[in-house]
mmCIF file of all heavy atoms in Angstrom:
data_model
loop_
_atom_site.group_PDB
_atom_site.id
_atom_site.type_symbol
_atom_site.label_atom_id
_atom_site.label_comp_id
_atom_site.label_asym_id
_atom_site.label_seq_id
_atom_site.Cartn_x
_atom_site.Cartn_y
_atom_site.Cartn_z
ATOM 1 N N VAL Y 408 -8.956 14.050 15.943
ATOM 2 C CA VAL Y 408 -10.153 14.841 16.039
ATOM 3 C C VAL Y 408 -10.843 14.647 17.381
ATOM 4 O O VAL Y 408 -11.329 15.599 18.002
ATOM 5 C CB VAL Y 408 -11.129 14.525 14.853
ATOM 6 C CG1 VAL Y 408 -12.366 15.412 14.928
ATOM 7 C CG2 VAL Y 408 -10.457 14.693 13.507
ATOM 8 N N MET Y 409 -10.822 13.384 17.831
ATOM 9 C CA MET Y 409 -11.449 13.068 19.134
ATOM 10 C C MET Y 409 -10.805 13.819 20.290
ATOM 11 O O MET Y 409 -11.467 14.103 21.273
ATOM 12 C CB MET Y 409 -11.448 11.562 19.364
ATOM 13 C CG MET Y 409 -12.380 10.787 18.464
ATOM 14 S SD MET Y 409 -12.096 9.019 18.555
ATOM 15 C CE MET Y 409 -13.500 8.394 17.674
ATOM 16 N N CYS Y 410 -9.510 14.057 20.161
ATOM 17 C CA CYS Y 410 -8.787 14.762 21.228
ATOM 18 C C CYS Y 410 -9.322 16.147 21.465
ATOM 19 O O CYS Y 410 -9.039 16.789 22.466
ATOM 20 C CB CYS Y 410 -7.274 14.842 20.886
ATOM 21 S SG CYS Y 410 -6.444 13.272 20.976
ATOM 22 N N LEU Y 411 -10.145 16.652 20.489
ATOM 23 C CA LEU Y 411 -10.715 18.033 20.587
ATOM 24 C C LEU Y 411 -12.186 17.987 20.815
ATOM 25 O O LEU Y 411 -12.891 19.041 20.828
ATOM 26 C CB LEU Y 411 -10.403 18.781 19.282
ATOM 27 C CG LEU Y 411 -8.946 19.090 19.073
ATOM 28 C CD1 LEU Y 411 -8.663 19.263 17.566
ATOM 29 C CD2 LEU Y 411 -8.550 20.340 19.827
ATOM 30 N N ALA Y 412 -12.798 16.788 20.927
ATOM 31 C CA ALA Y 412 -14.233 16.677 21.015
ATOM 32 C C ALA Y 412 -14.736 16.659 22.448
ATOM 33 O O ALA Y 412 -14.082 16.132 23.333
ATOM 34 C CB ALA Y 412 -14.686 15.384 20.258
ATOM 35 N N GLU Y 413 -15.895 17.205 22.647
ATOM 36 C CA GLU Y 413 -16.449 17.287 24.013
ATOM 37 C C GLU Y 413 -16.895 15.853 24.406
ATOM 38 O O GLU Y 413 -17.691 15.230 23.724
ATOM 39 C CB GLU Y 413 -17.672 18.199 23.991
ATOM 40 C CG GLU Y 413 -18.158 18.487 25.364
ATOM 41 C CD GLU Y 413 -19.173 19.683 25.343
ATOM 42 O OE1 GLU Y 413 -19.608 20.091 24.219
ATOM 43 O OE2 GLU Y 413 -19.552 20.077 26.423
ATOM 44 N N GLY Y 414 -16.374 15.396 25.550
ATOM 45 C CA GLY Y 414 -16.819 14.094 26.066
ATOM 46 C C GLY Y 414 -15.765 13.020 25.836
ATOM 47 O O GLY Y 414 -14.615 13.314 25.425
ATOM 48 N N LYS Y 415 -16.186 11.793 26.115
ATOM 49 C CA LYS Y 415 -15.227 10.655 26.084
ATOM 50 C C LYS Y 415 -15.494 9.812 24.819
ATOM 51 O O LYS Y 415 -16.591 9.339 24.602
ATOM 52 C CB LYS Y 415 -15.484 9.820 27.361
ATOM 53 C CG LYS Y 415 -14.351 8.881 27.704
ATOM 54 C CD LYS Y 415 -14.613 8.211 29.004
ATOM 55 C CE LYS Y 415 -14.073 9.028 30.177
ATOM 56 N NZ LYS Y 415 -14.143 8.376 31.436
ATOM 57 N N SER Y 416 -14.446 9.620 24.044
ATOM 58 C CA SER Y 416 -14.525 8.818 22.829
ATOM 59 C C SER Y 416 -13.807 7.502 23.083
ATOM 60 O O SER Y 416 -12.782 7.461 23.770
ATOM 61 C CB SER Y 416 -13.851 9.452 21.607
ATOM 62 O OG SER Y 416 -14.536 10.709 21.315
ATOM 63 N N THR Y 417 -14.315 6.413 22.431
ATOM 64 C CA THR Y 417 -13.640 5.132 22.569
ATOM 65 C C THR Y 417 -13.272 4.602 21.198
ATOM 66 O O THR Y 417 -14.080 4.725 20.255
ATOM 67 C CB THR Y 417 -14.560 4.111 23.279
ATOM 68 O OG1 THR Y 417 -14.940 4.691 24.488
ATOM 69 C CG2 THR Y 417 -13.862 2.817 23.531
ATOM 70 N N ILE Y 418 -12.065 4.100 21.034
ATOM 71 C CA ILE Y 418 -11.643 3.444 19.785
ATOM 72 C C ILE Y 418 -11.306 2.007 20.043
ATOM 73 O O ILE Y 418 -10.515 1.716 20.928
ATOM 74 C CB ILE Y 418 -10.414 4.137 19.199
ATOM 75 C CG1 ILE Y 418 -10.588 5.656 18.965
ATOM 76 C CG2 ILE Y 418 -9.962 3.463 17.934
ATOM 77 C CD1 ILE Y 418 -9.358 6.374 18.479
ATOM 78 N N VAL Y 419 -11.855 1.132 19.254
ATOM 79 C CA VAL Y 419 -11.469 -0.279 19.274
ATOM 80 C C VAL Y 419 -10.742 -0.520 17.962
ATOM 81 O O VAL Y 419 -11.306 -0.335 16.883
ATOM 82 C CB VAL Y 419 -12.651 -1.247 19.457
ATOM 83 C CG1 VAL Y 419 -12.158 -2.696 19.482
ATOM 84 C CG2 VAL Y 419 -13.380 -0.935 20.767
#
Side-chain angles (χ1 to χ4, degrees):
V408 181
M409 288 169 170
C410 289
L411 293 154
E413 189 169 10
K415 197 174 273 187
S416 298
T417 306
I418 302 176
V419 177

